Amino acid sequence: MPKDGGIGASSKRREDVRFLTGAGNYTDDINIHGQAHVAFLRSDIAHGTINSVDTSAAQGMPGVVKIFTGADFEAVGGMPCGWQVTDKHGQPMQEPRHPILAHGKVRHVGEPIAAVVADTLEQARDAAEAIVLDIDELPAVVDMKAAVANNDVKVHDDLTSNLCYDWGFVEENKAATDEAFEKAAHVTTLELVNNRLVANPMEPRVAVGDYARGTDESTLYTTSQNPHVIRLLMGAFVLGIPEHKLRVVAPDVGGGFGTKIFHYQEEAFCTFAAKACNRAVKWTSSRSEAFMSDAHGRDHVTKIELALDGDNNFTAVRTETYANMGAYLSTFAPSIPTWLHGTLMAGNYKTPLIYVNVKAVFTNTVPVDAYRGAGRPEATFQLERVIDKAARELGVDPVELRRQNFITEFPYATPVAVEYDTGDYHATMDKVLELSDRDGFAARRAESEAKGKLRGFGINCFIEACGIAPSNLVGQLGARAGLYESATVRVNATGGLVVMTGSHSHGQGHETAFPQVIADMIGIDESMIEVVHGDTANTPMGMGTYGSRSIAVGGSAMVRATEKIIAKAKKIASHLLEASESDIELKDGAFSVAGTDKSVAWGDVTLAAYVPHNYPLEDIEPGLEETAFYDPSNFTYPAGAYTCEVEVDPATGEVTIERFASADDFGNVVNPMIVEGQVHGGIAQGIGQALLENCSYDENGQLLSASYMDYAMPRADNLPAMDHYVVDHSCQTPCTHNPLGVKGCGEAGAIGSPPTVINAIIDALQSGGHKVDHLDMPATPARVWAAMNT
Amino acid sequence: MYNFDVETPGTVADAVAAMGRDEAQALGGGQTLIPTLKQRLASPSVLVSLSRVAEMKGVCTGDDGRLCVGGATTHATVAREATQYPALAAMASHIGDPAVRNRGTIGGSLANNDPSACYPAAVLGSGATIVTNTREIAADDYFQGMFSTALEEGELITEVRFPIPEVANYQKFVQPASRFALVGVFVAKFADGVRVAVTGASEDGVFRWSEAEAALSSEFSASAVGGLAVSGDGMISDLHGTGAYRAHLVGVMTKRAVEAAA
Ligand SMILES: Cc1cc2nc3c(=O)[nH]c(=O)nc-3n(C[C@H](O)[C@H](O)[C@H](O)COP(=O)(O)OP(=O)(O)OC[C@H]3O[C@@H](n4cnc5c(N)ncnc54)[C@H](O)[C@@H]3O)c2cc1C
């Protein structure tokens, strides 16, 4: 029986009413009286020395308020990086200065060079066009391997090379890993590319800076996944504004996918310029600007080797990855190919020895940072592709090869520094094989072949580390921030309550799911609970939403705060009922004395808290409001198994996804409908990466895929029909270390699906006699056809 | 956008007069021109909107049996109303998305002559006639390479006249991002021969594949073109496919068009 409320109910997303009826309040909807607009003049070359930026003609143009260049920001900080990686020699990574406006040099197409603040946007754009740039173009560094091999052209002249760091993990295991390869009965090697992506949230980035001269307070409205992080980074490191003088508001946000985690120049600029101009300053990114200024994702070039013994047990994994950082370090960029990637290289398997080498490289391209899955899709893709290739080389069933090597005992400490608390990989594998009707595949393949098509079946397993994470652990790993989460629960006199959470919803449905948890804990209706998020002025310090952490970390903080509320409410109830506190039970929104029919309703207790006439004032304070900060003791480890069936048209190379099934273990699930939506969306993005999306630069550092004319997004008709697009989360091994037993579901789909699709395509091509053992993503018709015809 | 004036004439004569103003430019559905203006890549001083010129809108059958499509007729109208010429209607129904089809016009598409657009293949493949405010231009003389046509400065496409073939079909292999034609082939069989027009593929824009036309004129079957191939030289090579791939697709799409038409 589906529940109609509380944990486990598919409550309809209450926020959708406003989103779907045009009543949302997005950052671009915010207009402040007297606001001015900014137009950024951005570099159209990838690399060059700035000789001069002549603004004299632009200065006097109609409506111009003020023009800024790099020189105006010499006194303020550069854009900070929130994570420091230590290289394999124990040295800190190379960390270049990242100016708000380019100074001295431009380093990627799209880098802002000057900014014009004017009364209207069109006036700002007119004046920006009148700025005369004198830039000597330099050769661009685009190819990562060339950037490392050749030091002639450096992205940053003050660094020793284009290498940000050369990371070895676990360095102490390297010799043993190499030895295992020497002893291996079989070694499978694969070189691959994890394609660069542009996140493309539906809402582009927007920033509105405001300044109150009377109180010397700055406010930034911005499209952020984590307003407190922006307040801390921008206030402390860039502009030198103390937190109590700076408010950051991220109202309704139309999708983020990671790219709205980071602190961007435009945010700092609008905040700075609002004070400098004593006027609110607004910037709304155009889609074209988004392509060349939103942090990109992925972009790894990897060689992976898998060693097996004579019984097909995995004995070692060794990888070498070049990870593109772009021209500057975006906020969390260094952590993605290291701590969110190297630590995942065990996957679902009990491989005893693993060595991961990552070379992070500066190039004249847009900075690269987290994008849905962040590091974990890259890890999963290489591991699951090499396992599939090994199965083919050894002539064994890819399902059985995986099963044979599954981790089955938990907790399990991997050789790459993490400890999985729970999981059951056979269960999700069994489930997905059942859902996908693998047994019926041969018949379906025959049907496809009768139509002249090739059909392939792809299987994939994955593990992710989510709910990031313990502050003390990430601190050791180089994080410059904590990763707890917070919640304040404010109960009103009449019994309704508000949760002020540090988590941020940009489409995930927190306003619906969070109340379901509290409703269950207290036994009141979900409609009595409201969620407030996204404003540093009325939520406790929080770290925001990414890494599938909201319910696992933010939800846990909310549970802790609610437990405090209940504990206090019980004290009040025991006073009202004249009973011992230990005898008070809370059920269905009423406090009762165990073993009696005496009870008092939730509302009477909350009223007493604020109208404390009959109240134990000598023991407890009036009021009913509690805050909790929750810092988890470990990551959570969602895992799953996915299958995909594709058809390939051998005449054109076109791939269609006929069936897709996923069996995820997310631990406990609060709102199944929301979880299924997250997985459907994640898989769609993963299919986008596998078949369509490709952010591509030419050798001069020009962005070739700079609009939707060339950057292919997945659309509904690229996905299988819903009856063959099955997502399942019935396999549940609850997380052992958070109060809800939840693991997080936001990224799974995007992590698990790309290798599933490619494995299926390879299976299809092999069935047609084509000796293709790998295809880089996206597997466009042109690439598939070329692979079949070489 | 830069500033500009807008004129909304109600007749061809008024539209032609308005086009006489300094730096005037015709505005059809704006599906190509408006994005260009938004990116500040063009700066006309007057836009002459054709959307209210009634005599340039709609589909009808001429006395000679040809299908006449007004120069300001939207793709959606052609998709819905060109019932005498199903292959043309089907082609129009697969241009862009509903918003594009409800605004974009045949005249705009032909004036623009994007090398990946669909209409040029249909017009050239049908051997249609482009009628302007001053003259009639045969399709074979009209298309002059990528984004280049026989139109003179200020000349307006008022109508396009399509002879109706016995059978015809358009096969479009979409470019995955834009969903314009990566390669599109329009095949039309007339009593006196077959025409095959290819879009999306060549660096010279839409072209007729004469070998295929000859083969199909003597035998209208997929196998007749089975052994033919166009060269990859001079084919567009980009992110979405090499010249060799496009050349290969020309063959595949031609065969499929013949199969679908026959
Ligand atoms: C998202 C999207 C998808 C698309 N997909 C496709 C597709 O799959 N296939 C395809 O073929 N096209 C596609 N298009 C292009 C579409 O068909 C456009 O409508 C067409 O190219 C231009 O027509 P328009 O009426 O909008 O012209 P406008 O944009 O108004 O004008 C284009 C040019 O033609 C000139 N012009 C307009 N009308 C006339 C006239 N009557 N006489 C002389 N000059 C004139 C204008 O001055 C301008 O130079 C797509 C467009 C978009 C935005």
Side-chain angles (χ1 to χ4, degrees):
Chain A
M1 259 300 276
K3 290 179 70 178
D4 59 5
I7 292 177
S10 284
S11 300
K12 291 258 167 59
R13 296 188 5 146
R14 55 171 87 170
E15 49 270 74
D16 286 353
V17 175
R18 78 173 183 276
F19 295 155
L20 295 175
T21 59
N25 181 36
Y26 294 90
T27 309
D28 192 51
D29 293 322
I30 293 169
N31 290 298
I32 294 167
H33 180 70
Q35 82 191 358
H37 298 263
V38 57
F40 290 98
L41 177 63
R42 296 178 183 274
S43 180
D44 58 7
I45 62 167
H47 196 192
T49 305
I50 304 174
N51 298 323
S52 66
V53 181
D54 181 357
T55 61
S56 53
Q59 292 287 357
M61 287 180 59
V64 171
V65 176
K66 199 167 164 51
I67 301 179
F68 297 81
T69 65
D72 295 303
F73 290 90
E74 269 175 86
V76 309
M79 305 304 294
C81 181
W83 203 297
Q84 179 182 293
V85 166
T86 304
D87 77 4
K88 64 183 185 189
H89 308 296
Q91 295 303 308
M93 65 187 188
Q94 297 206 77
E95 198 170 349
R97 182 176 165 87
H98 186 182
I100 292 178
L101 296 177
H103 199 52
K105 252 178 138 187
V106 289
R107 297 187 176 86
H108 67 85
V109 168
E111 181 170 9
I113 300 171
V116 179
V117 177
D119 291 338
T120 69
L121 180 57
E122 290 301 318
Q123 289 170 332
R125 293 181 72 181
D126 286 343
E129 279 178 11
I131 295 173
V132 181
L133 297 177
D134 178 2
I135 300 182
D136 283 339
E137 192 163 352
L138 297 166
V141 180
V142 179
D143 179 78
M144 285 193 277
K145 289 186 180 173
V148 173
N150 179 349
N151 228 1
D152 294 352
V153 187
K154 283 192 293 182
V155 178
H156 296 278
D157 301 324
D158 50 341
L159 304 186
T160 59
S161 67
N162 291 316
L163 199 56
C164 175
Y165 55 74
D166 188 352
W167 185 75
F169 186 66
V170 175
E171 201 57 34
E172 292 71 42
N173 290 348
K174 184 172 188 306
T177 305
D178 290 345
E179 204 183 306
F181 272 90
E182 275 162 32
K183 287 199 206 127
H186 184 85
V187 174
T188 298
T189 305
L190 186 60
E191 296 192 32
L192 51 85
V193 174
N194 202 293
N195 43 327
R196 182 185 276 241
L197 304 176
V198 181
N200 280 307
M202 199 179 292
E203 178 206 29
R205 289 189 297 118
V206 183
V208 185
D210 193 17
Y211 177 69
R213 194 164 55 93
T215 55
D216 187 33
E217 282 171 336
S218 294
T219 301
L220 170 68
Y221 301 88
T222 182
T223 47
S224 175
Q225 301 177 211
N226 33 229
H228 288 94
V229 176
I230 304 305
R231 186 182 65 168
L232 179 65
L233 291 175
M234 184 173 80
F237 297 97
V238 188
L239 300 179
I241 309 174
E243 280 113 310
H244 61 278
K245 290 291 188 190
L246 177 58
R247 174 181 170 208
V248 178
V249 185
D252 285 334
V253 173
F257 310 114
T259 204
K260 290 177 182 165
I261 298 172
F262 324 120
H263 179 37
Y264 286 95
Q265 292 111 298
E266 295 88 352
E267 294 172 321
F269 177 84
C270 289
T271 310
F272 180 88
K275 184 170 181 179
C277 302
N278 193 27
R279 255 176 104 166
V281 174
K282 181 174 195 170
W283 172 72
T284 299
S285 173
S286 67
R287 189 59 69 180
S288 309
E289 279 181 293
F291 271 100
M292 54 187 176
S293 69
D294 291 4
H296 293 170
R298 316 279 194 260
D299 204 350
H300 286 191
V301 174
T302 293
K303 178 180 176 188
I304 180 167
E305 296 162 288
L306 172 67
L308 301 95
D309 68 15
D311 298 323
N312 296 343
N313 297 311
F314 303 162
T315 56
V317 166
R318 185 165 62 188
T319 73
E320 182 188 32
T321 287
Y322 287 78
N324 211 331
M325 296 285 104
Y328 299 99
L329 292 178
S330 173
T331 312
F332 290 112
S335 67
I336 310 305
T338 50
W339 301 108
L340 291 174
H341 162 257
T343 49
L344 273 296
M345 286 311 301
N348 310 53
Y349 311 101
K350 49 187 187 224
T351 316
L353 286 163
I354 298 173
Y355 178 73
V356 178
N357 173 246
V358 177
K359 297 175 177 70
V361 185
F362 293 111
T363 58
N364 291 116
T365 62
V366 169
V368 181
D369 206 324
Y371 167 67
R372 199 171 193 170
R376 290 150 287 172
E378 295 89 318
T380 305
F381 186 70
Q382 16 171 326
L383 192 59
E384 293 293 322
R385 283 293 304 121
V386 83
I387 292 171
D388 234 55
K389 189 176 178 216
R392 227 164 260 294
E393 288 173 357
L394 296 165
V396 298
D397 179 3
V399 171
E400 290 315 313
L401 183 62
R402 286 175 168 86
R403 281 192 190 275
Q404 167 182 354
N405 286 283
F406 273 163
I407 294 161
T408 51
E409 280 164 32
F410 297 88
Y412 176 82
T414 71
V416 276
V418 286
E419 185 175 287
Y420 302 163
D421 58 344
T422 53
D424 185 346
Y425 307 146
H426 284 295
T428 43
M429 179 66 96
D430 291 342
K431 187 77 202 173
V432 81
L433 294 178
E434 172 203 322
L435 293 171
S436 63
D437 181 29
R438 193 189 195 212
D439 295 341
F441 173 70
R444 293 191 294 276
R445 171 174 272 174
E447 272 173 43
S448 296
E449 287 173 351
K451 293 184 295 178
K453 303 277 179 69
L454 301 173
R455 196 175 184 107
F457 184 92
I459 180 87
N460 180 61
C461 298
F462 76 96
I463 173 95
E464 45 172 333
C466 289
I468 52 176
S471 295
N472 53 7
L473 177 62
V474 297
Q476 286 167 27
L477 306 183
R480 288 164 169 162
L483 282 169
Y484 48 82
E485 199 44 90
S486 64
T488 294
V489 175
R490 176 180 296 163
V491 184
N492 298 317
T494 52
L497 59 90
V498 179
V499 193
M500 286 154 277
T501 168
S503 296
H504 185 275
S505 181
H506 27 282
Q508 293 87 343
H510 297 174
E511 288 169 47
T512 302
F514 281 27
Q516 290 181 247
V517 174
I518 299 187
D520 254 14
M521 291 176 72
I522 301 176
I524 55 176
D525 199 77
E526 288 163 26
S527 64
M528 291 172 70
I529 304 157
E530 206 63 42
V531 174
V532 169
H533 63 89
D535 186 345
T536 60
N538 59 20
T539 55
M541 175 74 180
M543 298 311 292
T545 289
Y546 38 81
S548 307
R549 70 194 299 275
S550 292
I551 198 68
V553 191
S556 296
M558 179 181 70
V559 168
R560 291 283 183 255
T562 307
E563 285 168 356
K564 292 187 194 179
I565 292 283
I566 291 171
K568 184 170 178 183
K570 277 188 177 171
K571 283 198 169 73
I572 301 168
S574 77
H575 176 88
L576 295 176
L577 293 166
E578 296 173 341
S580 153
E581 203 187 313
S582 56
D583 291 338
I584 302 292
E585 288 170 353
L586 170 60
K587 195 167 177 282
D588 297 335
F591 295 92
S592 56
V593 182
T596 75
D597 59 0
K598 281 169 53 176
S599 82
V600 57
W602 166 254
D604 293 327
V605 172
T606 62
L607 188 67
Y610 290 96
V611 187
H613 296 164
N614 173 18
Y615 195 85
L617 285 165
E618 57 287 355
D619 295 330
I620 48 174
E621 296 166 8
L624 202 48
E625 174 166 331
E626 299 288 346
T627 295
F629 282 71
Y630 177 81
D631 206 320
S633 60
N634 193 354
F635 293 94
T636 63
Y637 299 95
Y642 288 12
T643 59
C644 172
E645 263 176 63
V646 297
E647 253 187 15
V648 178
D649 180 347
T652 62
E654 188 177 25
V655 176
T656 53
I657 300 196
E658 300 297 319
R659 288 167 169 247
F660 202 103
S662 68
D664 283 293
D665 175 0
F666 295 132
N668 296 332
V669 162
V670 173
N671 182 318
M673 179 198 70
I674 289 179
V675 166
E676 287 155 23
Q678 286 288 316
V679 179
H680 271 132
I683 293 172
Q685 278 180 311
I687 288 174
Q689 169 164 31
L691 295 184
L692 296 156
E693 298 186 44
N694 189 22
C695 178
S696 178
Y697 282 92
D698 73 8
E699 68 277 10
N700 299 317
Q702 288 296 330
L703 186 56
L704 298 175
S705 48
S707 79
Y708 292 136
M709 293 302 279
D710 289 301
Y711 189 92
M713 293 293 286
R715 305 184 205 188
D717 63 358
N718 296 119
L719 306 172
M722 286 309 271
D723 51 346
H724 292 309
Y725 191 14
V726 187
V727 303
D728 178 276
H729 46 75
S730 63
C731 301
Q732 299 181 348
T733 60
C735 170
T736 56
H737 56 81
N738 65 43
L740 290 166
V742 292
K743 296 184 174 180
C745 68
E747 296 160 295
I751 296 171
S753 54
T756 320
V757 173
I758 300 298
N759 288 346
I761 297 173
I762 299 298
D763 188 52
L765 297 185
Q766 294 260 352
S767 78
H770 301 283
K771 303 261 165 288
V772 179
D773 55 24
H774 180 67
L775 263 179
D776 277 327
M777 301 184 289
T780 59
R783 278 194 183 163
V784 174
W785 181 79
M788 284 189 292
N789 289 282
T790 42
Chain B
M1 284 191 198
Y2 300 107
N3 278 339
F4 51 81
D5 289 344
V6 179
E7 296 245 20
T8 51
T11 64
V12 171
D14 287 350
V16 170
M19 288 296 291
R21 287 180 57 181
D22 210 26
E23 290 181 49
Q25 187 166 7
L27 176 68
Q31 298 302 295
T32 300
L33 186 52
I34 300 289
T36 312
L37 296 178
K38 281 167 106 177
Q39 291 185 44
R40 298 186 159 215
L41 297 172
S43 53
S45 52
V46 193
L47 288 185
V48 180
S49 171
L50 305 174
S51 61
R52 294 188 198 166
V53 182
E55 56 192 300
M56 282 176 65
K57 294 174 76 172
V59 178
C60 65
T61 308
D63 298 340
D64 55 3
R66 288 195 291 180
L67 181 83
C68 302
V69 180
T73 309
T74 64
H75 309 327
T77 302
V78 174
R80 201 171 48 238
E81 295 179 15
T83 46
Q84 310 95 300
Y85 195 170
L88 185 73
M91 181 281 304
S93 74
H94 287 100
I95 293 176
D97 49 46
V100 169
R101 292 194 288 276
N102 283 321
R103 298 292 313 174
T105 66
I106 185 170
S109 180
L110 294 175
N112 196 45
N113 192 19
D114 187 302
S116 304
C118 302
Y119 258 118
V123 166
L124 187 62
S126 305
T129 303
I130 287 112
V131 183
T132 75
N133 56 312
T134 59
R135 57 185 169 144
E136 295 187 4
I137 311 170
D140 287 320
D141 302 324
Y142 177 83
F143 299 102
Q144 304 192 342
M146 276 195 189
F147 298 108
S148 166
T149 70
L151 290 180
E152 303 283 349
E153 189 77 25
E155 194 172 358
L156 293 178
I157 298 174
T158 53
E159 192 173 82
V160 184
R161 296 187 189 142
F162 293 88
I164 297 183
E166 293 169 1
V167 291
N169 186 264
Y170 177 62
Q171 290 289 319
K172 174 183 183 183
F173 192 81
V174 299
Q175 192 257 56
S178 70
R179 296 202 174 178
F180 275 65
L182 187 71
V183 167
V185 177
F186 198 99
V187 172
K189 179 174 182 290
F190 294 90
D192 58 351
V194 176
R195 292 174 70 103
V196 177
V198 179
T199 188
S202 168
E203 288 172 347
D204 295 329
V206 64
F207 70 94
R208 284 173 68 184
W209 186 13
S210 41
E211 290 93 331
E213 290 184 350
L216 289 168
S217 295
S218 53
E219 187 204 326
F220 194 72
S221 76
S223 58
V225 284
L228 299 181
V230 289
S231 159
D233 295 344
M235 292 283 164
I236 299 169
S237 223
D238 62 13
L239 211 54
H240 309 287
T242 59
Y245 178 60
R246 280 184 166 84
H248 166 76
L249 285 180
V250 171
V252 176
M253 292 300 124
T254 303
K255 263 179 263 162
R256 289 185 181 176
V258 173
E259 274 162 6

